[in-house]
Amino acid sequence: MTLLDVSIVNVALPSLKAGLHASPDDLQWVLSGYALAFGLVLVPAGRLGDTHGRRAAFMVGLAAFTLTSAAAGVATGPAWLVAARFAQGLASGILNPQVAGLIQQLFQGRERGRAFGLLGAVIGLSTAIGPLLGGLLISAGGPTDGWRWVFYVNVPIGLAALPAAYRLLPSHREIRQHRPEQDGAASGSRPTGLDPVGVVLLAIGVVLILLPLVEEQQWRGSLKWLLVPAAAAFLAVFVLWERRRAERADPLLDLKLFRFRSYSLGSAIALVYFSGFTAIFFIFTLYVQAGLGYSALLAGAAMTPFAVGSGVASALGGRVVTKLGRPLIAAGLVMVALGLGGTLLAVHLVPGRGVGWAAALPLALAGLGSGLVIAPNQTITLSEVPVRYAGSAAGVLQTAQRIGSAVGIAVVGSVFFAAVGAAASTSAGSGSGGGSGRPRDPGRWADAFQRGLAVAIGLVLLALLIAAYDVVATYRKAEGSAEPTG
């Protein structure tokens, strides 16, 4: 539900504009308000689950997300919808870290890898299939009110999931009774307290990073980039505070986690890969809708091969990641790069409306590769994290993914819009390209998409370099430990 809402709303923008008479700034905040709030609370919410129980935090987040989805669906104006989307982002930020924390707490070894594999399949499918589902809902609901069903669809799912969560997820007390070694309470090592100063410092730092990125197209001028060094200053103070707090109490984030190469490099891979991964959906949807005149439904269908490939490979990757380790992720990144390269070639050879068919096979290959990256990387990244910090560690990992997504959309989007020109930017921002006529210059849009996609491929290759470094370092360490001594 929560990750679906990141991608499903993109195809609803034309319907939102028609139904609420929303301005381009309103539409931007419908997207960016959710992203900002989501990234804002991931780490504190993960810590909340660590200290007070993950089932309780999961259910609070799920209930809030269901309620705020209904509030978004009944919005009567842009301001109402933006506020509901911000609240929805906060709820999703509470909910998400509990999933990885529960997997870390309840499973070990190969079973943990399989569980993360299923989670990866959900991540890949929900992110990629969002445009297709959004297109179906908008087609069914009509051009002016179809956007409401993009939010209403969460309500029955949430109402069904709440009692299931209460019945199927173990409570904090049950875990302490039956698996005290997983809870940490037996040794008194379970984190206590929420570190309010750390929460505020980290929240300000994350918002100052995300704000100029998510508002890159709407907030003109270069002054916005002054927020980035300000963010670096707040994050530096956060690190100093966490080190000082660790001497006398539990910090919000145990910085010792970054001493594990698996965690530090895994977080770096997540940040860089999501920069390229998320941006692909953004520019491809703009290209086929605003540039080629695809409807929302056809635009979603064009991304389906990626979704199918990602879902299949995620489940498989989760089963074998404990045996193959980081080389599996490197192989997945190679497949993603090859698939996106094939997509680049397909758009070059078939720049017209047939691009959806021409790009289907390379997108499927890229999806297969992506399925071998996201879930296996999460498994390896959290493999050495103490269970008592599973929620906050997962929150940091997901925050890296959210920042990566914002960076990728800003950077790749800038290249895309610069190539297609101001007319494309206006068309995309106003939502006028969602199947409302033939494009004026499809060749120009194709060129813009190819340039943006080339940048995204570069980001995927950078993630591959990080993974290759980890593979080589692990191999050298194994070689060194195998040498005879004396």
Side-chain angles (χ1 to χ4, degrees):
M1 290 166 63
T2 59
L3 292 173
L4 195 67
D5 264 46
V6 175
S7 60
I8 196 173
V9 177
N10 284 307
V11 297
L13 294 181
S15 177
L16 268 169
K17 181 178 182 295
L20 288 182
H21 307 289
S23 68
D25 280 344
D26 294 329
L27 297 178
Q28 178 64 29
W29 272 105
V30 168
L31 299 174
S32 59
Y34 182 89
L36 278 172
F38 194 1
L40 180 66
V41 297
L42 281 167
V43 179
R47 176 60 180 276
L48 189 69
D50 292 339
T51 56
H52 297 291
R54 296 186 177 98
R55 185 181 74 170
F58 180 93
M59 293 186 66
V60 167
L62 180 58
F65 191 85
T66 305
L67 182 63
T68 53
S69 294
V74 299
T76 57
W80 180 333
L81 181 59
V82 169
R85 282 286 283 172
F86 190 86
Q88 196 184 32
L90 292 175
S92 67
I94 295 172
L95 177 60
N96 266 271
Q98 316 313 328
V99 181
L102 281 164
I103 291 175
Q104 193 82 340
Q105 191 169 32
L106 299 175
F107 298 92
Q108 294 179 329
R110 294 181 63 185
E111 291 299 315
R112 181 182 290 173
R114 292 179 65 184
F116 273 123
L118 293 175
L119 174 60
V122 171
I123 291 172
L125 284 171
S126 61
T127 303
I129 213 165
L132 176 61
L133 180 58
L136 287 169
L137 291 170
I138 291 166
S139 297
T144 57
D145 285 324
W147 65 268
R148 297 186 186 276
W149 293 98
V150 167
F151 302 111
Y152 286 151
V153 70
N154 293 321
V155 177
I157 299 173
L159 292 176
L162 272 169
Y166 181 79
R167 180 177 179 182
L168 298 175
L169 298 179
S171 68
H172 198 44
R173 178 179 297 178
E174 289 170 335
I175 292 175
R176 294 182 67 179
Q177 288 177 346
H178 300 290
R179 304 191 71 174
E181 77 285 354
Q182 292 295 313
D183 177 65
S187 60
S189 60
R190 182 167 53 85
T192 56
L194 195 56
D195 184 11
V197 175
V199 169
V200 172
L201 290 172
L202 181 61
I204 294 174
V206 170
V207 168
L208 290 179
I209 288 177
L210 288 175
L211 189 58
L213 292 170
V214 299
E215 286 289 288
E216 200 273 336
Q217 286 299 317
Q218 297 297 330
W219 189 353
R220 301 299 182 184
S222 57
L223 286 178
K224 60 179 176 286
W225 299 116
L226 294 176
L227 296 179
V228 175
F234 272 98
L235 293 177
V237 174
F238 168 75
V239 170
L240 293 174
W241 169 261
E242 293 299 284
R243 286 178 176 173
R244 182 178 177 183
R245 180 178 170 86
E247 297 174 358
R248 63 184 190 277
D250 286 315
L252 174 65
L253 174 64
D254 189 351
L255 298 175
K256 293 178 182 177
L257 293 175
F258 290 98
R259 296 179 183 176
F260 297 118
R261 191 175 73 244
S262 60
Y263 187 74
S264 57
L265 291 182
S267 298
I269 289 171
L271 188 149
V272 176
Y273 178 67
F274 269 74
S275 297
F277 164 70
T278 312
I280 296 163
F281 303 112
F282 176 64
I283 62 172
F284 188 76
T285 302
L286 282 176
Y287 168 46
V288 297
Q289 280 193 272
L292 299 181
Y294 276 34
S295 67
L297 180 58
L298 283 177
M303 288 302 302
T304 302
F306 189 103
V308 173
S310 179
V312 170
S314 293
L316 175 63
R319 291 176 178 271
V320 299
V321 63
T322 53
K323 181 185 296 184
L324 299 180
R326 194 74 77 187
L328 176 68
I329 298 168
L333 289 166
V334 170
M335 292 173 64
V336 174
L338 290 174
L340 295 182
T343 304
L344 195 68
L345 181 61
V347 174
H348 178 73
L349 296 176
V350 188
R353 286 179 63 87
V355 72
W357 289 106
L361 189 59
L363 282 175
L365 176 62
L368 287 169
S370 187
L372 299 180
V373 174
I374 297 176
N377 184 64
Q378 186 152 292
T379 303
I380 294 174
T381 302
L382 298 176
S383 61
E384 296 181 282
V385 172
V387 170
R388 64 197 180 105
Y389 286 117
S392 53
V396 171
L397 179 61
Q398 293 182 6
T399 301
Q401 293 172 355
R402 300 282 71 77
I403 292 175
S405 297
V407 169
I409 289 173
V411 173
V412 175
S414 294
V415 173
F416 177 86
F417 286 124
V420 84
S425 177
T426 304
S427 170
S430 64
S432 62
S436 57
R438 298 293 302 225
R440 293 181 179 178
D441 190 356
R444 192 175 184 182
W445 285 90
D447 178 65
F449 176 70
Q450 289 175 79
R451 294 189 185 195
L453 186 57
V455 176
I457 293 172
L459 291 168
V460 171
L461 292 175
L462 179 57
L464 176 59
L465 285 177
I466 300 172
Y469 170 79
D470 191 24
V471 171
V472 171
T474 302
Y475 177 74
R476 287 179 176 175
K477 182 179 179 181
E479 261 193 343
S481 61
E483 290 179 359
T485 58

